[in-house]
Amino acid sequence: MTTTAEVGRWAQLVREILMAQGRNQSWLAELTGIHPSNLSKWLNGKNHGAKKEPSLFERIQIAKALGVPVHHIWPETEHGS
């Protein structure tokens, strides 16, 4: 289970990567196929229903779009994927 601090950390990393690349959440949502409101809620630390964080598939999509390994954003996935 991911703690609130970990949610903040990965969300901050994603926001930093987007900023460094000159991209935004809309671009990421379009490229990954993740609904923009879901992505926004995750990156702003808000829950939406029972789904409080991206699934493994969505994590892979996010990392792939950003051009970084999944474990760069979610270290706990290093040995699991």
Side-chain angles (χ1 to χ4, degrees):
M1 180 172 198
T2 305
T3 67
T4 303
E6 290 168 333
V7 169
R9 183 178 183 286
W10 76 257
Q12 181 63 36
L13 279 170
V14 170
R15 289 191 303 265
E16 288 172 4
I17 294 167
L18 284 169
M19 187 182 306
Q21 294 179 355
R23 303 193 190 278
N24 59 34
Q25 289 180 28
S26 296
W27 170 86
L28 185 58
E30 185 175 330
L31 194 62
T32 60
I34 296 171
H35 196 279
S37 67
N38 291 347
L39 187 60
S40 178
K41 288 174 184 176
W42 289 330
L43 295 181
N44 292 304
K46 298 188 166 92
N47 299 340
H48 57 283
K51 193 166 183 184
K52 299 176 182 166
E53 59 186 60
S55 67
L56 179 57
F57 176 77
E58 290 162 329
R59 291 177 184 201
I60 292 168
Q61 294 302 103
I62 291 168
K64 187 175 184 181
L66 296 173
V68 299
V70 176
H71 66 267
H72 178 77
I73 301 170
W74 292 276
E76 69 275 12
T77 63
E78 185 169 17
H79 300 291
S81 66

